[in-house]
Amino acid sequence: MPTGSDTTADTDRGATARPAPGDASADGHTASAARSPRRRLPARLTAALWRRLSAGAPRAVLAALAGLALAAAFPPYDLWPLSLLAVAALSLLTSGRTARQGAWTGFVFGLAFFVGLLKWLSVVGWDAVLGLSVLQALFVAALGAGLAAVSRLRAWPLWAACLWVAQEWARDRVPFGGFPWGRLAFANTGSPFTPLAALGGAPLVTFAVALTATLLAAAVTLLATGTLRRPRPAPGRARPAALAATGALAVACLGYAVPVPTAAADTVDIAVVQGNVQRPGMDFLGRPMMILNNHVEPTLALAEDVRAGRVARPDLVIWPENASDLDPHRYPQARAAIDRAVAAIGVPILVGALVDHPTREGYVENQGIVWDPRTGPGASYTKQHPVPFGEYVPFRDQLSKVISRLERVPRDFWPGDEPGVLQVGPARLGDVICFEIAYDEIVRDTVNSGARALVVQTNNATYGRTGQPEQQLAMSRLRAIEHGRAIVTAAPSGISAIVAPDGTIKQRTEEFTQDVLTARLPLRDERTVADRVGAAPEWALALAGLGAVAAGPVARRMKKHQKGNPQ
């Protein structure tokens, strides 16, 4: 990529060749000669842009490959060591570059990564994949600029790792409440780094992964620099390289020293019903009552097995998000079907349903409702974080005029404002709905409010067999360790699963099958360090990274001033 001085030199050469105003050209048309530089200006700008892109093409290609490698670190491929390789590659590609070069490299890396990660959104449309990927890649562009800036500082691997946390901190919050998908921690739900979640949550796992990778990048840089100058690295460079590599190994092994308590204070017998849907994709609902009947029928079959002595009676039953495809408070046939299932099994059922907002006409609430065999519908939890453009449409009046697909979201979801702690029979469970498992504060608040186990009521039927359900299940594995809680995932089409407090998957269903899981679920009251410290580690690490970016120019100016004014 040409430097600023190269570009200036090109401009100067162009200025020398211009005819002076008033001079006649070879054909005598003075006015044409005077206007020709202006006509050539777009061509010169295009040529300059092409030279810059061409000069940076190898780096861009490597950045794109690194981004795709990071996507492969996530489920369904689940090759978590690639997260280290990808982060190290981005550090090397931005090292010593200008902020603009770092930003472009980061953008290319981020775009390739998110397209690879979010290809499941192609069910909605590839324009949705590209649009969301470009938006998320802008955050990685800012990360790339920051990595370039801190690469000139002492202890730069530390500051670079902090910047990864800062980038995720921003992505998790803006715009429209953020989109936490694709955090480094979610690619490391079964790696040596995972136990660190019990100390500092997902941000600490991200930091440890990034620090290990940047230390490896530092070791490579030191060795490569020495090799270029001598047949083998000089001792002065070999020792720091070995120290960096040793540091990377030490950080990677820290997780093994973190205790992951799993002892149960109590247990509860549960059943999880996966009723299945009529078809995958955007039109999974079928006719009204079909999804509800799909969950009523296996519950009735379970009740028959209990009466016949083939299965022990559970203490409670869990249905997934949208198990009732009609509002049971409004449609008598839906309520009657749920009453029949609850009466047959004789224990409370946690029912996922969409219900009309009681006071705001036109709005709907996504709820988990405790349905008791004696008293009927009782306590409920309303999803706090509806998905933008999926469950509500920001700027609906303006955007719906140009994006006809938004008509598929006819009514906006109204958000709840309380953690989902519900007494379901003998168990105090914490309900989080679908994508909420990705948000630190929602899950943490639920545990700190008294949940003894967690339930993720989800509906992934739109994205079946795309890898998205596996990505979401990986988040449950991390949350189990982070909060020391067993997690039950209930989905109408899969993947339904039971995850132990140590993050291991005890049972899981196949996608697009009707199934019932039964298990003895451990209940715990002890809170982890991560529950107690909350978001403090994330804020501290993010601010440290941003502070390093801001301090870099100040330190360079002070150093230059000291050189110019020797004592």
Side-chain angles (χ1 to χ4, degrees):
M1 192 175 288
T3 62
S5 59
D6 296 332
T7 306
T8 304
D10 290 341
T11 305
D12 291 340
R13 286 193 292 271
T16 303
R18 294 176 191 167
D23 289 350
S25 64
D27 59 3
H29 294 287
T30 306
S32 297
R35 286 195 299 270
S36 61
R38 282 192 288 272
R39 281 204 298 266
R40 292 198 304 270
L41 183 59
R44 290 204 310 274
L45 291 176
T46 302
L49 177 61
W50 176 249
R51 284 196 302 272
R52 286 185 176 274
L53 291 177
S54 299
R59 190 182 312 118
V61 170
L62 291 173
L65 292 174
L68 292 174
L70 182 56
F74 289 78
Y77 311 106
D78 225 8
L79 303 173
W80 68 262
L82 290 180
S83 63
L84 298 173
L85 177 64
V87 173
L90 184 59
S91 296
L92 293 172
L93 290 169
T94 54
S95 179
R97 304 295 172 181
T98 65
R100 182 178 299 178
Q101 291 169 335
W104 172 248
T105 303
F107 179 79
V108 173
F109 175 96
L111 183 62
F113 165 54
F114 283 108
V115 168
L117 181 74
L118 304 178
K119 63 181 185 296
W120 46 264
L121 198 56
S122 62
V123 174
V124 178
W126 276 103
D127 56 340
V129 176
L130 292 174
L132 183 56
S133 297
V134 167
L135 176 63
Q136 298 302 305
L138 293 175
F139 291 93
V140 188
L143 169 65
L147 292 176
V150 301
S151 67
R152 298 174 174 84
L153 301 179
R154 290 185 178 181
W156 69 262
L158 173 64
W159 313 128
C162 290
L163 285 176
W164 274 94
V165 177
Q167 174 261 146
E168 292 184 357
W169 174 91
R171 275 203 310 111
D172 296 354
R173 289 165 173 81
V174 293
F176 309 121
F179 184 71
W181 227 264
R183 300 167 73 176
L184 292 180
F186 295 153
N188 285 268
T189 60
S191 77
F193 302 99
T194 316
L196 294 171
L199 298 181
L204 185 60
V205 176
T206 287
F207 173 74
V209 172
L211 181 58
T212 300
T214 52
L215 284 169
L216 291 174
V220 170
T221 301
L222 289 165
L223 290 175
T225 304
T227 303
L228 289 174
R229 293 180 178 179
R230 299 174 180 83
R232 60 184 180 183
R237 292 189 178 273
R239 281 192 292 269
L243 184 61
T246 303
L249 180 61
V251 174
C253 292
L254 280 177
Y256 292 114
V258 178
V260 180
T262 59
D266 199 359
T267 61
V268 63
D269 292 330
I270 67 166
V272 182
V273 176
Q274 177 175 298
N276 204 10
V277 299
Q278 272 52 54
R279 64 179 71 88
M282 293 287 288
D283 301 310
F284 65 87
L285 282 173
R287 298 191 308 273
M289 290 291 295
M290 291 186 78
I291 304 297
L292 178 54
N293 287 333
N294 283 356
H295 289 83
V296 170
E297 289 166 5
T299 304
L300 295 176
L302 175 65
E304 181 61 31
D305 287 341
V306 169
R307 284 192 294 271
R310 292 186 291 267
V311 177
R313 185 183 303 277
D315 296 313
L316 59 96
V317 177
I318 298 171
W319 286 3
E321 179 187 21
N322 305 152
S324 179
D325 46 10
L326 293 175
D327 181 352
H329 301 304
R330 180 179 176 187
Y331 293 92
Q333 64 268 40
R335 177 165 185 150
I338 299 173
D339 282 337
R340 185 157 57 100
V342 174
I345 194 64
V347 299
I349 298 179
L350 181 61
V351 178
L354 297 181
V355 304
D356 293 333
H357 195 284
T359 60
R360 294 184 176 270
E361 187 176 354
Y363 286 93
V364 66
E365 294 179 320
N366 192 350
Q367 289 190 345
I369 307 169
V370 180
W371 212 286
D372 189 87
R374 292 181 299 276
T375 59
S380 64
Y381 165 67
T382 300
K383 186 176 184 180
Q384 300 175 68
H385 200 300
V387 179
F389 303 103
E391 294 175 327
Y392 76 98
V393 179
F395 312 113
R396 178 182 288 274
D397 292 341
Q398 295 78 18
L399 294 178
S400 59
K401 296 176 182 177
V402 295
I403 307 176
S404 60
R405 191 185 302 146
L406 296 178
E407 295 174 0
R408 286 180 173 268
V409 188
R411 296 192 295 170
D412 289 339
F413 284 33
W414 189 265
D417 55 8
E418 295 290 338
V421 179
L422 301 170
Q423 189 71 35
V424 188
R428 190 168 65 250
L429 303 179
D431 190 15
V432 295
I433 296 180
C434 200
F435 279 32
E436 289 185 326
I437 192 66
Y439 293 90
D440 294 348
E441 66 279 2
I442 290 178
V443 185
R444 183 171 57 243
D445 289 348
T446 304
V447 172
N448 284 334
S449 295
R452 306 184 76 196
L454 293 169
V455 174
V456 183
Q457 291 182 295
T458 187
N459 183 356
N460 296 323
T462 299
Y463 308 110
R465 300 194 180 104
T466 64
Q468 188 268 2
E470 287 92 341
Q471 292 177 8
Q472 190 172 335
L473 180 58
M475 299 178 193
S476 293
R477 295 186 63 190
L478 184 81
R479 298 304 187 194
I481 294 176
E482 179 178 355
H483 303 292
R485 296 293 187 272
I487 296 185
V488 178
T489 298
S493 59
I495 301 169
S496 300
I498 297 171
V499 181
D502 64 358
T504 58
I505 299 175
K506 295 298 185 182
Q507 297 184 57
R508 58 164 286 172
T509 63
E510 298 300 322
E511 291 188 77
F512 297 107
T513 60
Q514 191 173 91
D515 204 350
V516 177
L517 300 179
T518 58
R520 178 157 292 174
L521 197 70
L523 303 177
R524 290 176 45 79
D525 298 304
E526 182 183 353
R527 293 190 301 156
T528 64
V529 175
D531 292 324
R532 292 184 170 89
V533 300
E538 182 180 29
W539 279 89
L541 292 169
L543 290 174
L546 296 175
V549 173
V554 175
R556 286 194 295 271
R557 283 197 296 269
M558 291 180 62
K559 188 175 181 179
K560 184 183 295 185
H561 179 72
Q562 291 173 354
K563 287 183 178 180
N565 296 277
Q567 297 297 325

